[in-house]
Amino acid sequence: MRFRLLTVPAAALGAAAALLSPTASQAVGPPAAVRGCDPLAPAECLLPFPNDWFTRADPSTPTGRRVAFTPATLPRNAAGVPADPTAWNRSDGFSPGSALIVQVPGLDLTATGAAPLTDIGRSLAADAPIVLTDAATGERWPYWAEPDSNATRPDRRALLIHPARNFREGHRYLVALRSLKDSDGRTLTAPEAFATAAGHRLPRTHPLYERQRELTPVLGALKHSGVGSKSLYLAWDFTVASDRGLTGDLFSLRDDAFRRLGSAAPEFKVTEVKDFTAAQDPRIAREVSGQVTVPSYLSLPGGLPGSTLLRGRDGRPRSLPGNTQLAFFRCEIPRSAFTSPSRPSLYGHGLLGSRNEVGAGNVKAMAAEHNFTFCATDWIGMAQEDIPVVLGALADLSRFPTVPERSEQGMLNALFLGRDLIHPHGLTADAAFRTPEGRPLLDTAHGLSYDGNSQGGILGGALVAASKDIRRGVLGVTGMNYGLLLNRSADFAPFQQVLDGAYPDKLRQQVVLQLFQMVWDRGETNGYAAQLTDRHQVLMHIAYGDHQVANAAAEAEARTIGARIVSPALTPGRSPDRTPYWGIRPVTTSQLPYQGSALVVWDSGTPSPPVTNTPPTEPAYGHDPHSDPRNSSAARQQKATFLTTGQVIDVCGTLPCTAAPTP
């Protein structure tokens, strides 16, 4: 089963287009009179990004900072609609996975010697032209740099600097660009404003006085770490959001909901039971559908698409008395459960899909082969019914918080379904989850598992991190940080039409993607990665050359969570990287079984993915292997063993793992 959303309904595209003025034009560059833009990089108001110039001191936050965007500093869409900064200004810093964005006229990264995706280790060289440094520890941070390959004008081409592993939560970072070269090898001259601010002390009346006052400590700290100002092209600093700032909304509503629930099982209702003969379905004996009642923390009745979190005066999510919503679920019970109780597991569906994906052939095969009952609920916020809202959010920055905030409610819905799966008075107490003789079909004694694919892997890490019931999770064909993924995904093509219509300037579009990520962190793994493996274990399965979820995003996730890569991962020479899987500690097949979080690469023979921020597209990149790992019986064996024991076993005979292409 493929999880790519190949088409977007015409009506939904039309609704998104209606948000834009058909004759509106988008001005290039910031208006000269806009107050608050960083004068050091005049190409676009929010550049360089992320940037503490756009924060203010706030002693009430863990970082001591608070984002302070204004409607004037945020990008307007093509219709000229100003964006509401409220959702962003709740943050006490920027995304831990944010790309750094700057525009450098005439830059040639190859001549400059900047570290590309294929040689991340070069980013830590003593003479690296781009330096990222933790201001507190002095630690140099790994990255790769690339030009925006989607740019249509050289003078509006972004330089993108991606952290190879997420920045540390709550930490401040220093950025230095030095000795940058053009294609002829000539050193680029620093922007006039930066050269002035970095030079002699300015009088209070000078227009750059305030900027110099903030820049001076940055330059001093860089000099202390060995980066002098003589060769600098540009320098700035930024603060990463704290753990509380990233996870506070979800954990707050989770804790409130489960406090209200106490020791009881969530209220549920079975609405349909389908029993199948072996001839009808040799793997699944019973399909059960129903609904779980969940406290709603959303602003619209029943948590309808387009909702955002309802907040109290303290800014925290709150649920009004009696405000609930129904989480509809579907469970697949294997035939083996009628002989021996099956292990309960939540299943996370793919891109803008539904709970019905739990009935896919590979999920049924996993259930039947290894005696799991998989149950799924729609991941609201990123479910099929949310497609029009997602399109509208891409067209208007102010609407975007509806996506991650409703996704957080979707996670709570899944957590309540999970509690019902293992509670003695939950689903197992209902006749639908018992044999005709009354024996339970669920083994509730061994806890709860999670298995998700594609979007279910991208959002699933946040769910696992938030759950107090899930012990182990499998994140299939996964990655994190949609701000990194979208440019690199073949799935995004229909949505790109909307984004191009709303924000046609490609430099501004890159800023918009990272602004999306700042609030998306609260509803996907990127904001939870630093603590994902504190109390949980995860097994990451990726498809080499995946057309839909970029391998680069999975590798950044593995580095961040400390997952080890099962080695050999690929046959020698298969990867274009100078050091394949740089920065990810290997665990060799001779060391298996391994008890811990791990990454396993499944190779179907697809060509290596692009090293640019563009998607692999057929036919040049051949078969899309996105669905291949989950359709491999060996991969399912490895997943099942991990979910039941926590051990990563060798299922590939000491060789790199391969998966047959799925028709």
Side-chain angles (χ1 to χ4, degrees):
M1 183 175 182
R2 294 167 67 85
F3 296 93
R4 181 184 302 177
L5 190 69
L6 293 173
T7 58
V8 174
L13 278 172
L19 296 170
L20 306 174
S21 167
T23 59
S25 62
Q26 188 177 34
V28 171
V34 169
R35 186 177 181 181
C37 301
D38 190 340
L40 298 186
E44 184 68 25
C45 187
L46 286 182
L47 298 187
F49 185 92
N51 187 345
D52 269 356
W53 178 256
F54 300 104
T55 66
R56 61 177 174 84
D58 186 344
S60 72
T61 70
T63 64
R65 308 296 302 175
R66 184 174 295 279
V67 173
F69 294 142
T70 68
T73 55
L74 288 175
R76 296 187 178 213
N77 65 13
V81 178
D84 179 358
T86 302
W88 285 265
N89 291 352
R90 293 191 184 98
S91 302
D92 62 355
F94 297 90
S95 171
S98 180
L100 280 59
I101 309 173
V102 68
Q103 201 273 331
V104 182
L107 175 66
D108 187 304
L109 284 175
T110 301
T112 297
L117 177 60
T118 53
D119 191 5
I120 291 173
R122 195 194 306 176
S123 67
L124 301 181
D127 62 348
I130 300 171
V131 177
L132 307 183
T133 303
D134 185 314
T137 66
E139 180 184 6
R140 289 275 297 275
W141 210 257
Y143 62 84
W144 77 89
E146 61 188 8
D148 178 15
S149 295
N150 302 288
T152 55
R153 290 172 43 180
D155 64 327
R156 301 295 291 173
R157 187 185 304 279
L159 165 61
L160 304 173
I161 305 166
H162 301 279
R165 68 174 183 270
N166 275 9
F167 298 113
R168 285 199 178 96
E169 297 169 345
H171 282 228
R172 176 172 155 262
Y173 286 82
L174 312 173
V175 187
L177 310 184
R178 58 183 180 176
S179 303
L180 303 186
K181 310 287 185 184
D182 65 14
S183 58
D184 294 323
R186 294 175 298 210
T187 301
L188 297 175
T189 303
E192 182 180 353
F194 175 76
T196 300
H200 299 294
R201 187 172 181 179
L202 301 174
R204 289 179 178 270
T205 55
H206 196 283
L208 290 173
Y209 173 76
E210 285 299 323
R211 193 63 186 95
Q212 184 182 67
R213 198 160 65 95
E214 293 197 18
L215 179 63
T216 299
V218 175
L219 298 177
L222 284 170
K223 184 177 181 180
H224 182 73
S225 65
V227 180
S229 59
K230 185 176 180 180
S231 61
L232 281 180
Y233 178 89
L234 192 63
W236 75 95
D237 65 334
F238 66 92
T239 299
V240 180
S242 68
D243 167 66
R244 191 176 81 191
L246 294 164
T247 66
D249 280 356
L250 177 57
F251 288 3
S252 175
L253 65 87
R254 173 204 64 186
D255 292 345
D256 182 66
F258 279 93
R259 177 187 57 78
R260 296 186 190 193
L261 182 65
S263 60
E267 179 185 343
F268 71 91
K269 179 181 179 181
V270 170
T271 57
E272 185 176 21
V273 177
K274 295 180 182 178
D275 287 315
F276 304 108
T277 65
Q280 291 173 317
D281 192 326
R283 297 174 295 192
I284 301 300
R286 181 175 292 172
E287 178 184 296
V288 181
S289 298
Q291 59 196 39
V292 177
T293 301
V294 186
S296 179
Y297 292 80
L298 295 173
S299 57
L300 298 179
L304 293 170
S307 300
T308 53
L309 291 173
L310 181 68
R311 297 179 185 274
R313 291 184 178 180
D314 59 359
R316 294 183 180 181
R318 62 189 295 245
S319 177
L320 295 176
N323 186 22
T324 61
Q325 63 184 94
L326 299 177
F328 298 98
F329 67 82
R330 174 174 165 179
C331 298
E332 301 290 327
I333 304 175
R335 297 197 171 279
S336 51
F338 284 78
T339 302
S340 176
S342 60
R343 288 180 177 262
S345 180
L346 292 173
Y347 179 77
H349 64 71
L351 178 62
L352 295 169
S354 77
R355 62 190 179 278
N356 292 325
E357 188 182 299
V358 77
N362 67 89
V363 184
K364 288 184 174 182
M366 175 82 170
E369 292 163 3
H370 303 289
N371 200 23
F372 279 86
T373 287
F374 288 103
C375 293
T377 184
D378 291 355
W379 208 310
I380 65 168
M382 291 288 285
Q384 189 171 13
E385 65 181 3
D386 294 290
I387 292 175
V389 172
V390 171
L391 291 169
L394 293 174
D396 181 355
L397 192 63
S398 294
R399 296 170 180 249
F400 193 78
T402 63
V403 176
E405 293 195 8
R406 194 164 184 261
S407 295
E408 291 177 64
Q409 176 71 48
M411 291 180 192
L412 179 63
N413 294 354
L415 293 176
F416 262 52
L417 173 59
R419 178 61 59 87
D420 260 332
L421 275 168
I422 62 172
H423 197 286
H425 301 299
L427 297 178
T428 192
D430 192 275
F433 291 87
R434 290 184 172 265
T435 67
E437 299 78 24
R439 289 183 287 105
L441 296 172
L442 298 176
D443 176 5
T444 61
H446 293 91
L448 182 67
S449 299
Y450 175 80
D451 189 5
N453 286 299
S454 196
Q455 178 184 283
I458 298 167
L459 276 64
L463 178 70
V464 172
S467 176
K468 297 182 179 181
D469 295 326
I470 296 172
R471 298 182 180 182
R472 292 176 282 271
V474 172
L475 307 180
V477 283
T478 187
M480 68 180 190
N481 186 343
Y482 278 110
L484 170 63
L485 280 167
L486 294 185
N487 278 166
R488 289 174 149 83
S489 175
D491 286 348
F492 195 60
F495 302 95
Q496 186 70 50
Q497 301 171 44
V498 178
L499 193 61
D500 285 342
Y503 301 96
D505 176 61
K506 292 295 186 178
L507 180 58
R508 186 167 299 168
Q509 197 175 105
Q510 288 297 334
V511 175
V512 168
L513 288 174
Q514 297 310 315
L515 289 171
F516 286 164
Q517 189 58 48
M518 284 182 68
V519 292
W520 223 336
D521 277 349
R522 302 164 192 165
E524 65 122 311
T525 299
N526 196 65
Y528 302 80
Q531 57 183 287
L532 173 55
T533 51
D534 287 349
R535 301 184 311 275
H536 306 88
Q537 292 175 266
V538 294
L539 173 63
M540 301 170 63
H541 273 187
I542 67 172
Y544 186 71
D546 196 326
H547 290 195
Q548 300 179 53
V549 181
N551 292 165
E555 293 165 30
E557 180 175 353
R559 293 186 195 100
T560 302
I561 69 174
R564 298 180 68 173
I565 187 166
V566 174
S567 181
L570 295 170
T571 56
R574 181 78 166 99
S575 170
D577 294 0
R578 180 175 181 180
T579 305
Y581 304 105
W582 180 93
I584 307 175
R585 292 178 61 199
V587 55
T588 64
T589 51
S590 64
Q591 296 173 305
L592 299 180
Y594 168 67
Q595 190 87 23
S597 297
L599 168 67
V600 179
V601 181
W602 294 85
D603 190 352
S604 303
T606 293
S608 296
V611 296
T612 54
N613 66 324
T614 54
T617 53
E618 302 166 357
Y621 285 91
H623 162 77
D624 181 2
H626 187 65
S627 297
D628 296 345
R630 76 195 79 160
N631 282 296
S632 162
S633 59
R636 294 196 295 267
Q637 175 66 66
Q638 189 177 62
K639 292 199 302 181
T641 301
F642 176 79
L643 291 175
T644 55
T645 69
Q647 292 188 333
V648 181
I649 62 169
D650 179 17
V651 292
C652 302
T654 74
L655 299 173
C657 287
T658 59
T662 304

